[in-house]
Amino acid sequence: MKADFINPFLESILDVLSTMAQIDAKPGRPIIKGDDVACGDVTGIIGMAGEKTKGSLAVSFTAPAICDIANRMLGEDVSEINETVTDLVGEITNMVTGGAKRILGERGYDFGMATPVVVSGKGHVITHKTKGPRILLPFSTEAGEFFVEICFD
Amino acid sequence: MKADFINPFLESILDVLSTMAQIDAKPGRPIIKGDDVACGDVTGIIGMAGEKTKGSLAVSFTAPAICDIANRMLGEDVSEINETVTDLVGEITNMVTGGAKRILGERGYDFGMATPVVVSGKGHVITHKTKGPRILLPFSTEAGEFFVEICFD
């Protein structure tokens, strides 16, 4: 998987968070995941399916990070992972994938987006079952960490 | 969402389990999900994206149910949710969706399948974020329960 495929997702999530929540997230070093890694406390997952490519995206937030994002985006005092938060995680997952889809579509990689699914539960583990590499992008914000995982077959 | 859309998934999972694991799973009454429901201990999720429709499927197993299925399908003595089990859940999710895709394709509902994602972690909760209804199909086997959730926009 080329950086060409990863960068649109990276740009897209930074753009969504700075525009919608005025959060300046710092990307860490992308890593190719070997083993499963315990992720955040709430994760948005979306499938992508096109003629040339298929894959899946997961955006996984720790509770402090997503509560801060929710407070900033919604102006509500959110302190736990409730339906407001899972709705927001679904929206963010959709927006990030939609942003990357536009960029990749201009480069000839068209794909359709499935509907997002949100998983909550402390310490859940996400495994992308694919033959292709799985890339983990770690991010930090003032309030906490989140992760974007991308895989394409 | 019509029964036409649900039945292919129901037929497909019964077929996969009876063919691959000689398990005769008993379907319960389908319900339209309102609130989030705590699901099984390991869940396979796959996105579906087509021109006319998009959606997502989750197949969620309790630990006793999936360990029994793994023992029967693989001939291995599996007693906990390990990588063998999450691989198997990814495979089953793929096979069930692939079977339903063939049936729905013959009826003019073509969609592409994303790559499956498997979530493990006791008591995780899955929420399909969609405007359409979410249908939960409960199943029981001699060893335990599992659930299939389908949503289409």
Side-chain angles (χ1 to χ4, degrees), chain A residues 81-151:
Chain A
I81 294 169
N82 55 20
E83 196 183 338
T84 303
V85 170
T86 62
D87 279 352
L88 182 64
V89 170
E91 284 285 325
I92 291 173
T93 308
N94 239 337
M95 285 189 281
V96 170
T97 312
K101 176 181 157 67
R102 270 192 302 279
I103 300 170
L104 287 167
E106 287 165 11
R107 297 179 188 165
Y109 293 100
D110 276 312
F111 59 83
M113 283 164 57
T115 47
V117 175
V118 176
V119 180
S120 50
K122 202 139 190 83
H124 61 260
V125 176
I126 305 286
T127 321
H128 296 268
K129 296 295 178 186
T130 169
K131 294 175 205 96
R134 297 170 285 158
I135 308 291
L136 177 71
L137 305 173
F139 293 87
S140 57
T141 71
E142 276 175 30
E145 295 180 310
F146 68 92
F147 310 89
V148 174
E149 274 186 56
I150 310 161
C151 82

Side-chain angles (χ1 to χ4, degrees), chain B residues 16-111:
Chain B
V16 166
L17 291 179
S18 75
T19 310
M20 310 290 286
Q22 289 77 52
I23 283 180
D24 186 24
K26 306 249 172 306
R29 199 183 169 78
I31 51 178
I32 297 179
K33 274 181 78 174
D35 297 322
D36 304 345
V37 176
C39 294
D41 303 313
V42 59
T43 302
I45 296 169
I46 198 161
M48 299 171 282
E51 281 191 20
K52 286 189 203 165
T53 185
K54 61 180 179 170
S56 52
L57 172 94
V59 191
S60 195
F61 297 91
T62 57
I66 193 62
C67 287
D68 181 52
I69 292 168
N71 291 343
R72 288 161 179 263
M73 278 179 79
L74 308 173
E76 288 180 35
D77 190 18
V78 176
S79 59
E80 55 167 10
I81 294 169
N82 55 21
E83 196 183 336
T84 303
V85 171
T86 63
D87 280 352
L88 181 65
V89 171
E91 283 286 325
I92 292 173
T93 309
N94 240 337
M95 285 187 281
V96 170
T97 312
K101 175 181 158 69
R102 269 193 302 278
I103 300 170
L104 288 167
E106 286 165 11
R107 298 180 189 165
Y109 293 99
D110 277 313
F111 58 83

Side-chain angles (χ1 to χ4, degrees), chain B residues 112-136:
Chain B
M113 283 164 56
T115 47
V117 176
V118 176
V119 180
S120 50
K122 201 138 190 86
H124 62 262
V125 176
I126 305 286
T127 322
H128 295 267
K129 296 295 178 185
T130 169
K131 293 174 205 98
R134 296 171 284 158
I135 308 290
L136 177 72

Side-chain angles (χ1 to χ4, degrees), chain A residues 16-89:
Chain A
V16 166
L17 291 179
S18 76
T19 310
M20 309 290 286
Q22 289 77 53
I23 284 180
D24 186 23
K26 306 249 173 305
R29 199 183 169 78
I31 51 177
I32 296 180
K33 276 182 77 174
D35 298 323
D36 303 346
V37 176
C39 293
D41 303 312
V42 59
T43 303
I45 296 169
I46 199 161
M48 300 172 282
E51 282 190 17
K52 285 189 205 168
T53 186
K54 62 179 179 171
S56 53
L57 173 92
V59 191
S60 194
F61 297 91
T62 57
I66 193 62
C67 288
D68 181 51
I69 292 168
N71 291 341
R72 287 162 180 263
M73 278 179 79
L74 308 173
E76 287 179 36
D77 190 17
V78 176
S79 59
E80 55 167 12
I81 294 169
N82 55 20
E83 196 183 338
T84 303
V85 170
T86 62
D87 279 352
L88 182 64
V89 170

